[in-house]
Amino acid sequence: MSSRYRKYDGGDPLAPPVDIAEALDAIGEDVMAGYSPERAMREFLRRGGEDRAGLDDLARRVAERRRDILQRHNLDGTLTEVRELLERAVLEERKQLARDAMMDDGDRAFREMRLDNLPDSTAAAVTELSDYDWQSSEAREAYEQIKDLLGRELLDQRFAGMKQALEGATDEDRAAIQEMLSDLNELLEKHARGEDTQQDFDDFMAKHGDFFPENPQSVDELIDAMAQRSAAAQRMLNSMTPEQRQELMELSAQAFGSPQLMEQLARMDANLQSLRPSEDWGGGESFQGDQGVGLGDGTGMLQDLAELDALADQLSQSYGGARLDDVDLDKLARQLGDQAAVDARRLQELERALRKSGAMERGFDGELRLTPKAMRQLGKALLRDVAQRLSGRQGQRELRQAGAAGDLSGATREWQFGDTEPWDIPRTMLNGVLRRAGDPSGPRLSIEDVEVAETEARTQAAVALCVDTSFSMAMDGRWVPMKRTALALHTLIGTRFRGDSLELIGFGRHAETMDIEQLTALDARWAKGTNLHHALLLANRHFRKHPNAQPVLLIVTDGEPTSHLEPNGEVFFDYPPHPMTIALAVRELDNARRLGAQTTFFRLGEDPGLARFIDSMARRADGTVIAPESDDLGAAVVGSYLGSRGPRSRFGAGSYGDFFGGRGFWVG
C-alpha cells in the first residue's frame, strides 16, 4: 500500500459549518423587494456576508490582478536582452581591434568599417554578423549567447521552464530537443489522421517524458496542455507592435545558430492549431508597463490573463445554468492565493446548503421559490426585530409575560421589576438550592432565584390586515416595510395566537385576499388607484365568517381612496377622489364598526389631505391613528394587534407606547 500526500487546501478545519441563517434573511429581504428567490440568492452570494467575501470581491481582485499584469510589464524583454548582448559583443570586438597591434591595417579597417555600418535593426545586425570572424573571445561568447538565448526563449514559449533547464546546454541536449520535436510532430500528425494508438503515445512518453512535467496520460491531454501554451505564445506575438514582431521573426532564424528549430516549432504550432481550433489563436493584449519580460515569461502571462478571464466569467455567473461549482478553485488559488480559493469554496458550500436546506423549492412552473419553512424562519427574524423595537418604546421592554390575567401557560421565566404574575414556588426554591450548592454561605433565597408563571389570555380575534399596494407605496420606498410588517404579524399569529384568524388584503386599483407567500413575492404594481372600499368589503366578509371572534381591522395606507367597486364588479377610478368613492369607503367602515371591529389606521407620509381624511375616518370608527416611520411600521402594527387583544384602549395619533397593554409576547 502506498500513500500520496499533498498540501491541505480546505481552509480552517475547525471552522463551523456553513450557517445559512444570515443568507436566508438577506434573500427574504430581496424577495420582498421584488427579486426572484434565484436572483436573491445570487445577489447574496455576490455581496457576501458580514465575515465572508462574496463573488464581487473575488471578481474585483481578479480584475485588479489582470490590470496589474498589463500595466507593469511590456513584451520587449527578449529583444532588449539581445540588443544588450549585441552591443557588448561589438564593444568587446572594438576593444580587441584597438589592442591588436599585429593585425594588418587593411584587415582592421575592413572589420571596423563592417562594425560601423551595421544596420539599425537589431535582427538585421545579428544576421549581418552571423559569418563574422570574431577576434575577441568575449565578443564571440556574447554573440553565441544571443543564439542560445533565442533558442531557449522560443522553446520556453511552448514548454514552460525550458529557458532555465537548457541554460548551459550542450550540442547533445539541443540534438535531443530536435529529435523530440520531430517525434512530437509525427505523433500529432498521426493523431490528426486518426492513425495513432495508445502505444504510440506511451512510446513517445517513455522516450521524451522528461520534457513534459505535467505527466499527461493520453495524447489528448498532451495536446490540450500544449495547445493552450502555443495559443498563448501566438497571442503574445499578436500583442507586440509590428516592429517588435518583425524583429523577432528575423531573429528566430538565428536560434541555436540554425533555422531548423523555428521550422519544427512552426510545424508544431500548425499541428496544434488544426487539432484545437477552439483555442484563442487570434487575440492580443495591450501591455503598457516598463518591466520587460522574455518570450517564455510573456507567454506565461498571456496564459495567466486567459485564466483570469475564465475566472472572471465563472465568478460573474452570468451564463445559463451557472453554478458556483463551476469556479475552478485551483486556478483561483494560483492567481489570487490559497485564501481566495477557501473563500470561494465556502460560497460553494453555502450555495449547496441553501439548495439542500429545504428553504427553496421549484414550483410547477419551474421557478425557484421560498418554502413555508423559509418563510417561517424569515418571519421569526422579523418578529425578533419587532420585539426589539417594541421593547425600546417609552421605557417598555421585551415581555415574556403571556398576559397579566388569564390561564397558566405552563411556562415560567425569571422575575423582572414590574411583574405582577404569581410566583412559581417549586422553580424558585429549586433555584435557591442549586445556587447555595455552589455558595453555601449565601442567603437561602435571593431575588435572582424568583421565577414567575406565565399566563395566557384565551380570547380569539379575527384580524384583517389591509395593506396599500398602490404604485405610490413602491415609489416612496414603503413596499418592503409593508411586506415585512405582514410577515411579522402572520408569524406572530401563526406561532403564538393560533386561535386567531388572519386575513391579508392587498388593495391597489382593486383589492384581493392573499396568502403570505403571494404577498411577500408580489411585484410592485404601477397601476394608479387606492381601492379602500373593496378592501373593507373583503375585511367585513372575513369578520362575518368568524362571528364569535373579536374583529380587529388594521389599515396601512399612504393615500386617500381614489377608486371603488361598482355594483357590476367594475372598478371606478378618479383623482382627486370622487365623492362616491369616499362615501362607499365610509359606508363599509361603518359596517365594520357595527360588527364591533377595533380599527387602527397606519398613515404613511406627511400629506395634509391624507391626514385630515384618516383622522376623520378614525373618529367615525372610534378607532386609532398611528403615523409611524417606515422602519417602525412592523412594530406599530404588531403592537396595535397585541393591544387589541387586551383591555380596549384609545390612543392619539403617533402614539404606540402602550400598544401591548396587558398582552405581550416572547420571541425565542
Side-chain angles (χ1 to χ4, degrees):
M1 297 290 291
S2 62
S3 299
R4 297 180 65 184
Y5 299 92
R6 61 184 176 87
K7 180 181 177 182
Y8 175 74
D9 59 356
D12 183 1
L14 301 180
V18 175
D19 182 9
I20 65 173
E22 179 189 9
L24 284 178
D25 289 347
I27 289 170
E29 288 287 321
D30 285 345
V31 167
M32 287 191 289
Y35 288 12
S36 69
E38 181 78 35
R39 181 185 174 191
M41 179 178 69
R42 293 290 173 203
E43 287 298 318
F44 179 78
L45 293 173
R46 297 189 69 81
R47 296 191 303 266
E50 292 183 1
D51 57 352
R52 180 186 295 111
L55 292 175
D56 282 346
D57 181 65
L58 294 174
R60 174 186 56 77
R61 293 172 59 190
V62 165
E64 288 175 350
R65 171 155 171 75
R66 192 184 200 285
R67 185 168 58 251
D68 179 67
I69 290 174
L70 293 174
Q71 293 181 349
R72 182 183 299 179
H73 303 95
N74 63 60
L75 301 179
D76 64 354
T78 297
L79 297 176
T80 300
E81 196 169 353
V82 169
R83 189 178 304 113
E84 291 173 352
L85 287 171
L86 177 64
E87 290 173 353
R88 187 196 312 169
V90 171
L91 178 61
E92 293 297 330
E93 182 68 6
R94 290 184 185 279
K95 290 179 180 178
Q96 183 62 36
L97 293 176
R99 290 193 300 264
D100 196 346
M102 302 297 295
M103 180 176 291
D104 180 82
D105 289 343
D107 186 31
R108 179 187 295 112
F110 175 75
R111 290 176 180 276
E112 289 177 346
M113 180 184 68
R114 190 170 178 184
L115 295 178
D116 290 340
N117 293 323
L118 286 175
D120 293 334
S121 166
T122 302
V126 171
T127 302
E128 175 72 23
L129 294 172
S130 61
D131 60 350
Y132 183 81
D133 181 19
W134 298 93
Q135 299 301 299
S136 166
S137 59
E138 292 85 356
R140 182 183 301 108
E141 181 181 357
Y143 186 78
E144 292 298 325
Q145 286 180 15
I146 292 175
K147 297 187 289 185
D148 182 70
L149 172 67
L150 289 170
R152 291 188 292 122
E153 286 281 16
L154 288 172
L155 285 170
D156 202 39
Q157 270 194 303
R158 279 76 173 184
F159 305 89
M162 195 69 80
K163 179 180 180 181
Q164 292 76 21
L166 288 178
E167 191 168 2
T170 63
D171 291 339
E172 289 77 11
D173 295 329
R174 299 187 186 98
I177 290 174
Q178 289 284 1
E179 184 180 9
M180 180 272 292
L181 290 173
S182 178
D183 292 346
L184 175 61
N185 280 318
E186 290 179 7
L187 177 63
L188 295 177
E189 290 161 1
K190 198 172 182 180
H191 182 75
R193 296 191 301 268
E195 299 173 357
D196 65 315
T197 64
Q198 182 65 30
Q199 188 60 47
D200 293 330
F201 172 77
D202 293 339
D203 292 343
F204 175 82
M205 292 299 296
K207 185 176 180 180
H208 304 295
D210 291 343
F211 290 101
F212 304 93
E214 304 90 352
N215 192 28
Q217 299 300 305
S218 67
V219 67
D220 284 315
E221 289 186 12
L222 174 66
I223 293 171
D224 287 340
M226 296 200 61
Q228 291 174 6
R229 183 80 178 179
S230 182
Q234 182 60 51
R235 292 197 300 275
M236 180 183 177
L237 290 177
N238 299 341
S239 303
M240 291 180 168
T241 64
E243 294 77 12
Q244 289 174 328
R245 194 158 47 245
Q246 180 64 30
E247 288 267 299
L248 185 60
M249 290 298 98
E250 294 179 10
L251 284 170
S252 298
Q254 300 298 322
F256 291 153
S258 168
Q260 293 179 358
L261 175 63
M262 194 59 200
E263 291 171 1
Q264 289 284 10
L265 291 176
R267 178 184 169 194
M268 184 189 75
D269 289 341
N271 287 328
L272 290 171
Q273 187 166 359
S274 66
L275 289 168
R276 293 293 184 270
S278 59
E279 292 288 340
D280 182 8
W281 298 90
E285 299 289 348
S286 177
F287 288 83
Q288 303 167 354
D290 53 10
Q291 183 177 332
V293 294
L295 300 181
D297 291 339
T299 299
M301 288 182 183
L302 266 297
Q303 282 190 293
D304 285 343
L305 292 174
E307 279 195 355
L308 291 168
D309 288 341
L311 286 171
D313 189 44
Q314 294 163 10
L315 292 170
S316 72
Q317 297 283 285
S318 59
Y319 49 91
R323 301 288 285 268
L324 280 186
D325 287 338
D326 299 340
V327 178
D328 191 320
L329 299 182
D330 291 334
K331 288 182 180 179
L332 196 62
R334 187 160 53 247
Q335 296 297 335
L336 300 183
D338 292 339
Q339 185 57 47
V342 171
D343 291 340
R345 183 181 293 106
R346 293 289 289 176
L347 290 174
Q348 290 176 342
E349 293 170 355
L350 177 61
E351 182 188 42
R352 287 193 290 267
L354 285 169
R355 293 185 182 277
K356 295 178 180 179
S357 66
M360 290 181 284
E361 63 183 2
R362 294 202 179 274
F364 295 113
D365 55 2
E367 293 293 326
L368 203 64
R369 62 189 60 181
L370 295 180
T371 63
K373 174 184 176 181
M375 297 298 297
R376 289 193 298 271
Q377 191 165 343
L378 179 59
K380 289 178 181 178
L382 295 176
L383 202 52
R384 281 193 293 271
D385 179 63
V386 166
Q388 292 171 358
R389 290 179 180 275
L390 282 173
S391 67
R393 300 302 177 195
Q394 298 186 2
Q396 299 292 343
R397 54 181 169 79
E398 183 175 326
L399 297 181
R400 294 193 186 192
Q401 66 187 43
D407 300 330
L408 293 175
S409 67
T412 65
R413 60 173 177 79
E414 182 181 346
W415 178 88
Q416 299 182 43
F417 180 78
D419 287 336
T420 59
E421 292 75 23
W423 286 20
D424 187 298
I425 302 300
R427 290 289 304 176
T428 300
M429 299 305 297
L430 177 60
N431 290 339
V433 171
L434 293 175
R435 178 181 50 75
R436 292 187 70 244
D439 182 18
S441 62
R444 292 183 177 275
L445 193 64
S446 177
I447 189 63
E448 60 263 24
D449 300 331
V450 178
E451 291 199 20
V452 296
E454 288 187 344
T455 58
E456 181 75 33
R458 299 300 183 185
T459 58
Q460 185 181 20
V463 185
L465 175 61
C466 303
V467 291
D468 191 340
T469 58
S470 62
F471 82 100
S472 60
M473 290 285 286
M475 182 177 64
D476 295 333
R478 298 166 184 142
W479 196 253
V480 173
M482 174 269 290
K483 293 183 178 182
R484 289 170 57 92
T485 298
L487 183 53
L489 184 60
H490 179 273
T491 302
L492 176 62
I493 292 176
T495 56
R496 291 304 305 264
F497 299 98
R498 294 186 179 91
D500 289 359
S501 178
L502 173 64
E503 186 89 309
L504 298 174
I505 302 170
F507 62 99
R509 198 174 187 89
H510 68 279
E512 61 180 314
T513 60
M514 303 179 180
D515 56 36
I516 189 60
E517 291 80 11
Q518 181 183 0
L519 179 59
T520 52
L522 185 67
D523 287 335
R525 295 175 173 178
W526 302 101
K528 295 182 179 180
T530 304
N531 200 331
L532 180 60
H533 167 238
H534 194 185
L536 291 173
L537 282 170
L538 296 176
N540 289 334
R541 184 181 67 179
H542 175 62
F543 297 150
R544 293 186 182 100
K545 288 181 179 178
H546 302 84
N548 298 323
Q550 168 63 53
V552 177
L553 177 61
L554 308 172
I555 302 172
V556 178
T557 185
D558 69 346
E560 300 175 71
T562 55
S563 62
H564 65 263
L565 208 60
E566 296 280 16
N568 61 1
E570 295 294 325
V571 172
F572 174 87
F573 168 80
D574 191 23
Y575 183 84
H578 193 278
M580 181 57 69
T581 300
I582 300 297
L584 290 174
V586 169
R587 186 183 70 183
E588 286 306 314
L589 185 66
D590 289 344
N591 289 336
R593 182 183 182 187
R594 282 191 289 271
L595 290 170
Q598 297 184 25
T599 303
T600 305
F601 288 91
F602 300 90
R603 175 173 56 80
L604 303 178
E606 303 297 330
D607 179 46
L610 174 64
R612 289 191 296 271
F613 171 77
I614 294 296
D615 288 344
S616 64
M617 292 282 278
R619 285 193 296 271
R620 188 178 187 93
D622 193 22
T624 303
V625 178
I626 310 299
E629 297 293 333
S630 294
D631 290 343
D632 288 333
L633 179 60
V637 171
V638 169
S640 179
Y641 162 71
L642 293 173
S644 70
R645 304 195 86 264
R648 186 167 181 178
S649 303
R650 294 287 305 280
F651 309 104
S655 168
Y656 43 91
D658 299 321
F659 280 177
F660 40 97
R663 185 65 178 91
F665 70 99
W666 167 248
V667 181

